[in-house]
Amino acid sequence: MKKMLLTATAIVAVGAFALTGCSSERGGDTGGSGEETAKGFAADSTIGVALPDKTSENWVLAGKLFEDGLAEAGFKADVQYAPASNTVAEQQNQIQAMVTNGAKVIIIGAKDGKQLATQVQAAKDAGATVIAYDRLIENTEAVDYYAAFDNFKVGNLQGQALLDGLAERAGHEAPYNIELFSGSPDDANSAVFFDGAMEVLQPKIDDGTLKVVSGQTEIAQTATEGWLAENAQNRMDTLLTGSYSGDTVLDGVLSPNDTLARAIITSVQQAGKPVPVVTGQDSEVESVKSIMEGIQYSTINKDTTLLVEQAIKMVQQLQKGEEVDVNDTESYDNGAKVVPAYLLDPVIVTKENAAEAYANVPSLLEIVKSYE
Ligand code: BGC
């Protein structure tokens, strides 16, 4: 049943694309000089890639991988990052320019997933296909596909790692004192990571195993604007002063990614307190080192190479007029439609399984081996 539904969605989507793609006569089309294929588009077309500001290493890597991978596949790659200031408006302009320049597919890692409806609709109207990359684009029917790691599972894994780490390292029985951090409110992933983690942690808060000493358990209270390290560090400083000034020991912190994990650890160290169990995500180099040194407890391996490959595979399928592979047609309701998704599997990484987890990531494996 799921399979049938999935095929039907893909056919409708490709069919709709082929129709608009063939019938639209538009000016300024520098998308490709070759022959249009029956349903797809020219094999040397321009593919736009709009990425957010570089709030973690994965975004830096993704740009390079898209440049190389799309060129290797025969396309013209137009890869743009939104600058750190005026990011939303700049990204809107970049996407609009890609549309005007006749990009056949536009892959978007959104800065603010709620503020791109106008631009993706313009893309759709021009006959381009829109793929949301890593972050969902919300409240618009004009997004065709979503390629991402399973974000809810990322949260589940982070919640479980926090529990495992506490059992391993707290040095005492429950209850454990913890604090919760989440990502930027303008990123649709933030709530999904948090909800995934809370699915694991909430029952343990309810039964008294975990105690959020500050009482801040609502996502709005835990948010880290812009995914910025300094914001997480400031909040941790405040939490330490407000809730951990006496003998109260902080045992663990749910951190949604590595950049914030390191900022949280810095705050605790600067306060002269013992480093708690801290989770992360992204397998950033400095965090992998920290894990191997026994400081940060965990991270998540979301291999950017695999996700970029998957997005490029979607582009190739669209180019040939083939069905686009998706493996989830129910999880990602963006407020206007359920976006057909291809979700990859995230992997939890601790010191214990690091060598195994990075077996296919040579640069990280080398770091792990250097600690052996
Ligand atoms: C990504 C994370 C990343 C965060 C900050 C999220 O949308 O999924 O991997 O850590 O953005 O850049």
Side-chain angles (χ1 to χ4, degrees), residues 53-56 58-59 134-135 151 187 189-190 193 227 256-259 281-282 284 302:
D53 50 348
K54 301 172 180 175
T55 41
S56 52
N58 55 344
W59 294 115
D134 189 90
R135 298 176 172 178
N151 300 308
D187 176 354
N189 283 350
S190 299
F193 297 147
W227 285 102
N257 82 357
D258 285 348
T259 305
Q281 165 174 210
D282 294 333
E284 296 201 339
K302 301 197 301 183

Side-chain angles (χ1 to χ4, degrees), residues 99-149:
V99 174
T100 309
N101 292 334
K104 296 293 185 184
V105 181
I106 303 181
I107 298 168
I108 302 171
K111 166 61 185 171
D112 183 337
K114 289 189 177 64
Q115 296 206 55
L116 293 178
T118 306
Q119 290 70 32
V120 297
Q121 188 57 52
K124 200 88 231 110
D125 294 345
T129 300
V130 175
I131 300 174
Y133 173 86
D134 189 90
R135 298 176 172 178
L136 193 58
I137 299 170
E138 299 177 85
N139 303 330
T140 168
E141 291 194 4
V143 51
D144 298 284
Y145 300 103
Y146 182 39
F149 280 86

Side-chain angles (χ1 to χ4, degrees), residues 151-228:
N151 300 308
F152 195 79
K153 186 165 175 200
V154 167
N156 272 178
L157 292 171
Q158 291 172 329
Q160 190 55 51
L162 183 58
L163 293 180
D164 295 346
L166 289 167
E168 221 176 273
R169 289 194 182 170
H172 61 87
E173 298 291 302
Y176 303 115
N177 294 333
I178 65 161
E179 294 299 334
L180 306 170
F181 282 70
S182 58
S184 190
D186 54 11
D187 176 354
N189 283 350
S190 299
V192 186
F193 297 147
F194 191 72
D195 290 349
M198 290 307 270
E199 185 180 66
V200 176
L201 299 178
Q202 191 64 54
K204 300 293 180 185
I205 294 173
D206 294 343
D207 75 10
T209 305
L210 302 177
K211 188 172 176 211
V212 182
V213 178
S214 69
Q216 297 182 8
T217 54
E218 297 299 322
I219 187 162
Q221 298 172 304
T222 65
T224 311
E225 202 68 48
W227 285 102
L228 292 176

